[in-house]
Amino acid sequence: MQTLVDQVKDAYLARRMLQIRGGGSKDWYGNAAQGSVIDVSGHSGIVEYAPAELVLTAKAGTRLAEIETVLAANNQMLSFEPPHYGDSATLGGTLACGFSGARRPYSGSARDAVLGVQILDGRGDLLNFGGKVIKNVAGYDISRLTVGALGTLGIILQASVKVVPRPAATVTLQYELDQAASIVRMNELAGQPLPLTAAAWINGVLSLRLEGNAAAVLAAQAKLGGDILDHAADFWLAAREHTAPFFAGETPLWRLSVPPTVPPLDLPGKQAVTWGGAQRWLKSATPAASIYAAAARIGGHAALYRGARPQTGVFHALPAAVMALHRRLKTQFDPHGILNRGRLYSDF
Amino acid sequence: MIADSVIRDLRALLPSAAVLTADEDTAVYESDGLSAYRCRPGAVVLPETETQVIAILRLCHAAGVPVIARGSGTGLSGGALPREDSVLLGLAKLNKILHLDPLARSARVQPGVRNLAISGEAAAYGLYYAPDPSSQIACSIGGNVAENSGGVHCLKYGLTVHNVLGVRAVTIDGEILQLGGDCLDSPGYDLLALLHGSEGMLAVITEITVKLLPKPEHAQVILAAFDSVETAGAAVGAIIAGGILPAGLEMMDRPAIHAAEAFIHANYPLDAAAILLVEVDGTTEEMAEDLRCVHDILAANGATSARTAVDDTERLRFWAGRKNAFPAVGRLSPDYYCMDGTIPRRALPAVLYGIEVLSEEYGLRVANVFHAGDGNLHPLILYDANIPGELHKTEQLGARILELCVQYGGTITGEHGVGMEKIDQMCVQFRALELAAFHGIKAAFDPAGLLNPGKAVPTLQRCAELGAMHVHAGQLSHPHLPRF
Ligand SMILES: Cc1cc2nc3c(=O)[nH]c(=O)nc-3n(C[C@H](O)[C@H](O)[C@H](O)COP(=O)(O)OP(=O)(O)OC[C@H]3O[C@@H](n4cnc5c(N)ncnc54)[C@H](O)[C@@H]3O)c2cc1C
């Protein structure tokens, strides 16, 4: 850790820019950052994990796979089911990107799970926010602010996350149904007391995952009917990791975060729906500007996932007042603008 | 204490009944739920629209007058405590539910809407708003966001921050920020999370979009008794390690049990050293299976008795005992003081023992109620404000208890906020560097420091004077950089 601290302190004094890298599995995500690489992957290991506390603390370079294995051995899991996008995925990188998987609408996002972080700010100062307890309102919630900030407010060195029990039973039910009807159905079901933990529409098929204790899952299954999917875990894994056929090919892949009930997007290209309607995947060669405009019209926002980065950057532009606030916050944490410069927005 | 010209300008902006300056009118606002701290505000303004809120903030900003937002005033840390030189901005009249979308399961509401009113409106669709502070009949949703309030069901359903999709907020210079909205996330930094628990220091919240959940079909509660708090604490760990996430998991110690029983007659076992209330919810089948598991775990972990409420009436009575624990304890003594620390659950026996020792040292009785599932402890200190010096002694004991929580890896506040009350303990929990970062956040939103000044984050100077600063001033790196 001391070497990381020294590297940032030196860079701060020299005003030299640093690109933060964990496992490198998400190098493709976001805009290109400037500067030389600072490698966090060596800063790894689970620091503390007491299953009865429902809290796990690990250094940022710890592989997600390792964390998930340890949790599974204790019948627990991460509540936000993060995509890995590669074997080398680390906890720090996942939190910096703020990635959450299929369970997100039902049991929360990566930021929801974060209880505390240790960061190295742009001056090379080590800061600790939040803690290892589930309820904590002392001081502003800077822990959650670092989630999804793509390292621009500080290098995440360690994080404590809330973990949850692994459900005893799971079943996935499928239905051939068009996109519009599937979106309505996902939302209707989410308003009923059912143990729903995932709802997706991919390639003309609506998939619903039910999880909980065995009695609950059986009862819900009887109520909903549909075809039981064998090897459901593989299906959800492929959807999460973008290895399902829908995601293949060179056409740019866009993610749109939208109000969950909006009808299918009025845009050329192929669509898939996850997060019970709240996340739409679009394979489309439509110009970036049209996609951003369409997302905004329906009260959502868009980001380019895979494909050549547009001039304007891959993330949705912010309203002026919010952008001004971003710049002021960035200056507070990283006065010389050396951390992951340009990765989130070109301004900083 | 506010210039006449400012009062005159406020009156020009608002109907005359919406600007209060007479002592008898402002007295109502002199404290929040922490009534030991009082101060009359220079003026109280009661806007009815966001446009009025913006105009008030612009005016105060231009005149350099501090503004303190207030919802229902049920806060327990002095967060809404006025100052003589400040305008108290009461938001209770912004009390409309603007839109409820049953299919999307969300509601857009004004900040003065009461917590329970949202669930009331959503009930017609089988939906409800999950976070349920015990004050939910009175507290406002704006106050809930500002404190990131919890409740007895937050182990399973989350805190306020987990149940809000978006807020509209106005900065001190009158700029509107729309943070989040109807989607599950937003681009850029998570400013929505940052506003949660910001205690009215960053912006004034004028609209909130909350998430609504389907009402569980059924809920059932088990009352379990133990002959020591240690065994009860271990049983909580066993339930959770056993893979069950109860909807509610509360513990009370002997003094709290006795107080509640005398007040509510909930049928709590008076010979127990501790009781647990374990609530499970879900479909009929789901609940039956969880109840069976919990009973097995309780039996294997030293419960001297454990029984499921026979019907809904008894279930509500079991809960009434817990939910009225504060006023129940209040009956035992002229005054009581509610603390709010969180600890890792495994530290419970050590911390409770430490509290007992401190209680003897200060000669003040303490009853403990505990959101056991998530480690949030509410020691209630019994005192008599009419005895000279006793409030001061109580505050000292409270401070020592919070320091104990920090020493065991916990925090000085789980859900009530820092406000004015715990400002000195912030110096114990955080080092100068973190405090400086908090001041940096404040400066990014409100450079002139006009929104709720002096609350939640102590100045470095205050900590230095207390001698409580963990890091000596000399160890601050880059001392040439401005720190606020
Ligand atoms: C009997 C009792 C039981 C309680 N039980 C619980 C409990 O179980 N869990 C829990 O978490 N809390 C509990 N509380 C504490 C309290 O009810 C909560 O903190 C609540 O969220 C405060 O809401 P309020 O509307 O009363 O806010 P206020 O007390 O009016 O204000 C609280 C803070 O929020 C700020 N604020 C208020 N409205 C706004 C706004 N619109 N924009 C910006 N800032 C604003 C104020 O400046 C202040 O700093 C309890 C209190 C009492 C009296």
Side-chain angles (χ1 to χ4, degrees), chain A residues 19-33:
Chain A
Q19 314 186 21
I20 310 159
R21 197 158 191 271
S25 63
K26 297 164 189 69
D27 280 347
W28 52 269
Y29 182 66
N31 300 302

Side-chain angles (χ1 to χ4, degrees), chain B residues 166-202:
Chain B
V167 302
R168 229 167 114 94
V170 183
T171 54
I172 184 71
D173 52 359
E175 195 88 57
I176 294 177
L177 304 173
Q178 176 67 48
L179 308 173
D182 298 319
C183 309
L184 289 178
D185 51 29
S186 48
Y189 296 150
D190 202 329
L191 302 179
L192 177 60
L194 187 61
L195 275 208
H196 279 84
S198 65
E199 303 194 20
M201 310 256 304
L202 302 182

Side-chain angles (χ1 to χ4, degrees), chain A residues 132-199:
Chain A
K132 295 176 184 167
V133 287
I134 293 171
K135 278 166 92 175
N136 184 357
V137 292
Y140 300 121
D141 195 346
I142 295 177
S143 312
R144 292 196 171 98
L145 185 65
T146 62
V147 179
L150 279 173
T152 57
L153 296 175
I155 304 177
I156 299 175
L157 285 188
Q158 184 171 305
S160 296
V161 290
K162 182 184 169 188
V163 300
V164 293
R166 184 172 275 278
T170 174
V171 68
T172 295
L173 304 174
Q174 291 195 320
Y175 312 81
E176 257 179 51
L177 196 64
D178 70 33
Q179 186 183 358
S182 293
I183 290 169
V184 172
R185 185 91 181 123
M186 291 173 186
N187 279 285
E188 284 171 351
L189 292 177
Q192 295 175 25
L194 292 165
L196 196 61
T197 67

